[in-house]
Amino acid sequence: MRHKHRPHRHRKVALHLALALSPVFGSCWASAYPDPASLTAAVALPLSDQASGFDLHGNFRTRGGTQLAMEEGAEKKAGSRDALFDDDPLEQTAPDKPAPRQGSPLKGYLQAEAARTTAEPDHWSKLRLLADLSAQGQFGGGVKWKLGGRFAYDGAYDRGNYYPADVARNQRYDIALRENYIDFGADEWDFRVGRQHVVWGEMVGLFFADVVSARDMREFILPEFDALRTPQWATRAEYFKDDFHAEFLWVPVASYDQIGKPGADFYPYPPMPTDVPVLFRAEQRPKRNLDHTNYGVRLSTLKDGWDVSGFAYSSMDVNPTFYRQIALVPQPTVIFEARHDRIQQYGGTLAKDFGSFVLKSEAVYTHGRKLNAQRLNAEDGLVPQNMLDWAIGLDFNPQDDMRFNVQLFQRDIFSRDPDVLPKQHESGYSLLLNYKFTDKLEAQAIWISSLNRTDWLLRPRITWSFEKNWRLVVGSDLFKGPEQGLFGRFDQADRVYSELRYSF
């Protein structure tokens, strides 16, 4: 286990920023590489109930007089037939993702990443080389296709023995399929079949109505959305008529959150008794059969500038719930096993551009999710709890080179069991400020905090687009809070980091 004492941890940030940059520019870089459910509401949810994510890197797209967070593959507004057939329409506006050269079969990026954890003992927690590649084209008859993959190697797991062997095996290499699908249409209908992103929510940096996506949570909510979100194998049909849009979705083979292995920096440990040995069994994912498929419908319309949608979705929860057993011999031991339960979710979104600002709101009711209980006689250590997650946000441009976003979010638990950790009403807020000094240099900070207790995450960063297609990011991730808080549980994971990206 990691050392709990961490004196003067924030005084070391400047030193570790320099250390985080050194692998990017130093000669050691080449030699090092041979080649909980959602944060939807609570800032102190039980760890079995946390997944979610934020795009803390703040890519923005223009909408009216304001800027909204850009998500890779995000859907266009209701009434637009381009929602399915556009080739990553929002991605084309990203400053670090230029349009591919004419005739080039591939697009994507190559990236070198370094992160150094500042807790004692300080150590390299990421030394990764990553390639994200995709190709797309069109067959005869208007059928379009896309193929994509991601390949990564992390040398931090070959330096010493800080991490357990299971963690090193899980995170040293990463080879993953990204979006791989075909598109075709007929009259007012469009169809997409294959591995794809399905984005139902649009709050800046937060997952609320985006209930379909699975996430790679091995770095918690710190990566960009395009790295955090995992595509689903799905069949999707969309119907467009004037300002009305209907979407029907079936996921026959579901993807689930990747949570890593015990001993990793961001493993979502469930609440556990003090001074009792704890064992973790391997995660049990649902069998691939019709009983474990996901399906849903989403309807939306655009009326007098109000963008309104509603959805219903039945799924095997992408985020695992930790089932608990207690063994008495040879000594009392708590055994946890991560499983996935079927849940039902009903929700909607609302957005309106008022010119000087954009108002956005989302709400999701979840039935069938279980939370960890602190009493020993609870069956499997869990109790079912229905909950409502909601959020409201405002997006401003105080001046041409400045963007400001503020959001308030809450989880309300119905008929709350007194032995679950979260309160009946768990509230939080987030602030994002981005300022562009020049066309090449910008700074950003995001703060996410609980309103129920001292539990927060602060993420400052600087981005330097020093050459065409090149981007350097330097920043830090700072956690503070109680050991069972959403952010406080990672109090020993403070880090500084750098990223060097070439896009093509």
Side-chain angles (χ1 to χ4, degrees):
M1 298 301 291
R2 292 164 183 73
H3 201 287
K4 297 297 289 184
H5 180 58
R6 180 171 47 171
H8 310 298
R9 61 191 179 107
H10 297 310
R11 298 180 186 177
K12 302 170 68 176
V13 168
L15 171 62
H16 288 293
L17 275 171
L19 290 172
L21 280 169
S22 64
V24 174
F25 295 109
S27 60
C28 64
W29 183 261
S31 61
Y33 294 95
D35 135 91
S38 82
L39 187 56
T40 310
V43 184
L45 303 183
L47 304 186
S48 69
D49 195 26
Q50 294 166 358
S52 90
F54 293 73
D55 185 357
L56 306 187
H57 293 263
N59 294 316
F60 289 85
R61 63 182 174 92
T62 300
R63 180 183 177 188
T66 62
Q67 304 287 337
L68 303 182
M70 189 194 76
E71 300 175 352
E72 181 183 5
E75 304 306 304
K76 286 195 170 182
K77 293 301 175 186
S80 169
R81 291 181 57 82
D82 294 333
L84 215 59
F85 284 169
D86 264 19
D87 297 327
D88 296 327
L90 300 181
E91 180 181 279
Q92 296 172 9
T93 67
D96 61 324
K97 291 186 178 181
R101 297 184 302 274
Q102 291 295 324
S104 173
L106 289 176
K107 68 174 182 177
Y109 61 89
L110 305 175
Q111 184 159 296
E113 306 171 356
R116 189 165 182 88
T117 297
T118 60
E120 297 293 346
D122 59 348
H123 59 281
W124 291 108
S125 49
K126 181 165 64 172
L127 293 169
R128 183 165 65 173
L129 291 177
L130 180 145
D132 189 292
L133 307 174
S134 65
Q136 54 193 26
Q138 183 170 333
F139 299 115
V143 178
K144 296 184 178 181
W145 58 269
K146 182 175 182 179
L147 298 175
R150 180 172 293 157
F151 315 91
Y153 165 73
D154 196 331
Y157 300 98
D158 286 328
R159 298 174 63 92
N161 57 357
Y162 181 84
Y163 292 100
D166 285 348
V167 175
R169 282 192 294 268
N170 181 256
Q171 299 188 200
R172 181 183 289 114
Y173 297 101
D174 189 19
I175 301 175
L177 291 175
R178 301 301 290 168
E179 289 195 293
N180 292 264
Y181 57 75
I182 59 170
D183 284 337
F184 56 95
D187 298 325
E188 282 88 15
W189 289 89
D190 293 337
F191 302 91
R192 176 168 290 178
V193 179
R195 190 168 173 85
Q196 57 188 280
H197 290 305
V198 181
V199 181
W200 283 2
E202 288 190 330
M203 297 303 291
V204 174
L206 295 164
F207 289 106
F208 291 87
D210 194 9
V211 296
V212 180
S213 301
R215 272 81 70 173
D216 186 344
M217 299 297 293
R218 290 176 294 181
E219 286 188 77
F220 189 41
I221 59 173
L222 304 180
E224 295 186 15
F225 264 4
D226 63 350
L228 189 66
R229 185 183 286 113
T230 301
Q232 295 281 9
W233 290 105
T235 297
R236 181 160 45 134
E238 296 197 72
Y239 174 80
F240 299 90
K241 185 67 173 180
D242 299 325
D243 289 333
F244 175 73
H245 172 214
E247 181 175 351
F248 304 91
L249 179 70
W250 179 46
V251 183
V253 180
S255 298
Y256 298 94
D257 286 357
Q258 296 186 59
I259 61 172
K261 301 294 182 181
D265 289 327
F266 298 104
Y267 188 77
Y269 288 98
M272 58 188 85
T274 305
D275 300 327
V276 176
V278 176
L279 295 177
F280 288 88
R281 291 176 177 163
E283 179 182 357
Q284 296 298 311
R285 294 192 170 183
K287 295 180 179 179
R288 295 181 174 180
N289 54 41
L290 288 176
D291 291 336
H292 298 143
T293 63
N294 305 339
Y295 47 89
V297 58
R298 181 175 183 263
L299 308 177
S300 58
T301 187
L302 186 64
K303 186 70 173 179
D304 297 328
W306 289 93
D307 189 352
V308 183
S309 76
F311 65 83
Y313 189 59
S314 176
S315 69
M316 305 304 296
D317 200 345
V318 296
N319 183 244
T321 296
F322 283 90
Y323 280 68
R324 185 190 71 197
Q325 294 181 354
I326 299 177
L328 298 178
V329 292
Q331 62 175 331
T333 302
V334 176
I335 303 171
F336 286 106
E337 181 178 81
R339 306 178 193 173
H340 298 263
D341 300 317
R342 178 163 292 280
I343 59 175
Q344 317 292 329
Q345 293 177 291
Y346 309 92
T349 66
L350 178 69
K352 170 69 171 176
D353 188 342
F354 289 94
S356 59
F357 66 93
V358 169
L359 168 69
K360 305 183 77 175
S361 182
E362 297 180 4
V364 180
Y365 173 79
T366 302
H367 171 77
R369 182 169 285 153
K370 299 177 182 178
L371 304 185
N372 291 102
Q374 298 302 293
R375 61 177 181 269
L376 295 178
N377 63 349
E379 184 178 2
D380 297 319
L382 301 167
V383 292
Q385 298 278 245
N386 298 328
M387 58 198 70
L388 174 69
D389 298 316
W390 61 265
I392 186 169
L394 298 174
D395 217 298
F396 301 90
N397 281 113
Q399 59 189 62
D400 289 344
D401 296 323
M402 181 180 294
R403 312 168 202 151
F404 178 68
N405 176 269
V406 57
Q407 294 181 149
L408 176 68
F409 49 93
Q410 183 170 286
R411 167 165 288 176
D412 301 309
I413 300 177
F414 301 99
S415 301
R416 174 185 174 271
D417 188 289
D419 290 322
V420 300
L421 280 179
K423 297 182 180 298
Q424 184 173 1
H425 306 290
E426 285 282 352
S427 304
Y429 68 98
S430 68
L431 303 173
L432 183 148
L433 180 64
N434 180 284
Y435 186 78
K436 195 169 186 178
F437 296 97
T438 69
D439 290 340
K440 294 186 176 181
L441 185 66
E442 66 180 76
Q444 179 176 288
I446 188 166
W447 166 275
I448 311 106
S449 178
S450 170
L451 287 172
N452 294 80
R453 61 192 60 80
T454 301
D455 191 33
W456 52 260
L457 167 65
L458 175 63
R459 301 203 66 202
R461 72 162 195 172
I462 295 176
T463 301
W464 180 31
S465 301
F466 57 93
E467 292 288 347
K468 182 181 180 181
N469 300 355
W470 287 89
R471 182 189 78 176
L472 175 66
V473 177
V474 179
S476 62
D477 306 313
L478 305 175
F479 298 85
K480 181 66 175 179
E483 288 189 3
Q484 293 184 337
L486 176 62
F487 302 121
R489 61 193 172 129
F490 300 132
D491 190 57
Q492 294 294 299
D494 287 2
R495 67 181 191 176
V496 293
Y497 68 90
S498 62
E499 299 172 356
L500 179 63
R501 175 182 291 196
Y502 172 71
S503 302
F504 55 90

